[in-house]
Amino acid sequence: MSADQEMKPKYKFYLEFPDQWDDVFSYMDNTVTQWCQRRNNTFLKLLDRIIIVGTSVELGVIVPFFFFYLGVDSLAIASAAMMMSLIVVTQIPKRFMWRKRPYMAARAKKLCDGALTSSFPSRAVTCCVVYLYLLSAIIEIVERHEKDPVAPFRLFWTFKFLLFTVWAVCWTSIARVGVGVHYASDCVAGVVQVHT
């Protein structure tokens, strides 16, 4: 069995990431990867570890319990539904669309362990946006003591918070591309995935 076959998933029902799409994104992906990996940076590895923990899907399971604790039951139920949707929506593309990670395709240096699943799309970027959206709700609930399940999401749409979200998404993307586990186009797809 070749090394290429060993990297592919063991299950049979998946599609290969189209070569045409890879060709379209290759210039951007290669340029961003080279920029992110221009030096072997310990800070980048540490940042990636923090981001992996902070943007894991499993972390989001705690969020509804936090809202129940605050006494905002309707928001807790809404966030539980959001987390279940997040788990399903982020797993489907990874399960059925196979794209080699950059280090698997010899397009980047491997600077971390693990990450044997498909690289497309970046689940860390998707979770980053969703968690910041929920963080805006938590901040408003704590600051204003509001019980309205819709009102807390006003903060997310303020200019400062949107700027912070863009900043966080950029750092998440830099860290994931920098350690060789995602392409820049995977990170863009992660942001797009939030809006679907």
Side-chain angles (χ1 to χ4, degrees):
M1 180 179 289
S2 71
D4 186 46
Q5 289 173 328
E6 289 177 13
M7 288 186 224
K8 291 184 180 178
K10 304 294 183 220
Y11 49 89
K12 297 179 182 182
F13 302 105
Y14 67 89
L15 300 170
E16 294 275 345
F17 191 80
D19 289 334
Q20 297 86 354
W21 291 6
D22 206 27
D23 292 342
V24 168
F25 297 121
S26 66
Y27 178 76
M28 176 186 68
D29 289 341
N30 292 338
T31 304
V32 172
T33 301
Q34 288 172 0
W35 183 82
C36 290
Q37 289 195 330
R38 65 189 182 278
R39 59 178 75 105
N40 193 353
N41 195 334
T42 306
F43 169 75
L44 196 62
K45 291 177 190 176
L46 178 63
L47 178 66
D48 185 62
R49 289 294 153 208
I50 293 168
I51 287 170
I52 287 172
V53 170
T55 61
S56 68
V57 174
E58 296 79 10
L59 183 67
V61 175
I62 300 168
V63 173
F65 295 104
F66 183 76
F67 286 131
F68 278 125
Y69 176 76
L70 291 176
V72 191
D73 293 352
S74 57
L75 192 56
I77 291 168
S79 65
M82 185 181 290
M83 287 302 110
M84 291 304 294
S85 298
L86 180 68
I87 290 167
V88 170
V89 166
T90 59
Q91 187 60 31
I92 287 174
K94 287 193 167 292
R95 184 58 79 178
F96 296 109
M97 177 75 74
W98 175 256
R99 185 180 194 188
K100 289 181 187 175
R101 293 195 179 261
Y103 73 85
M104 293 176 177
R107 291 171 64 183
K109 294 179 274 187
K110 182 180 179 183
L111 300 179
C112 73
D113 295 328
L116 299 174
T117 60
S118 174
S119 76
F120 181 81
S122 174
R123 191 180 318 165
V125 172
T126 302
C127 290
C128 177
V129 176
V130 171
Y131 292 168
L132 287 173
Y133 186 67
L134 288 174
L135 178 64
S136 71
I138 293 168
I139 291 169
E140 285 214 14
I141 287 170
V142 170
E143 284 183 353
R144 298 180 183 206
H145 306 289
E146 293 187 14
K147 302 296 182 192
D148 181 8
V150 178
F153 293 109
R154 288 184 299 228
L155 176 65
F156 184 78
W157 298 109
T158 63
F159 180 73
K160 288 179 186 176
F161 208 83
L162 284 173
L163 206 58
F164 178 72
T165 301
V166 169
W167 178 83
V169 165
C170 286
W171 274 107
T172 301
S173 300
I174 288 169
R176 300 304 286 157
V177 171
V179 295
V181 295
H182 281 296
Y183 298 99
S185 55
D186 295 338
C187 297
V188 172
V191 172
V192 170
Q193 189 175 36
V194 172
H195 301 290
T196 57

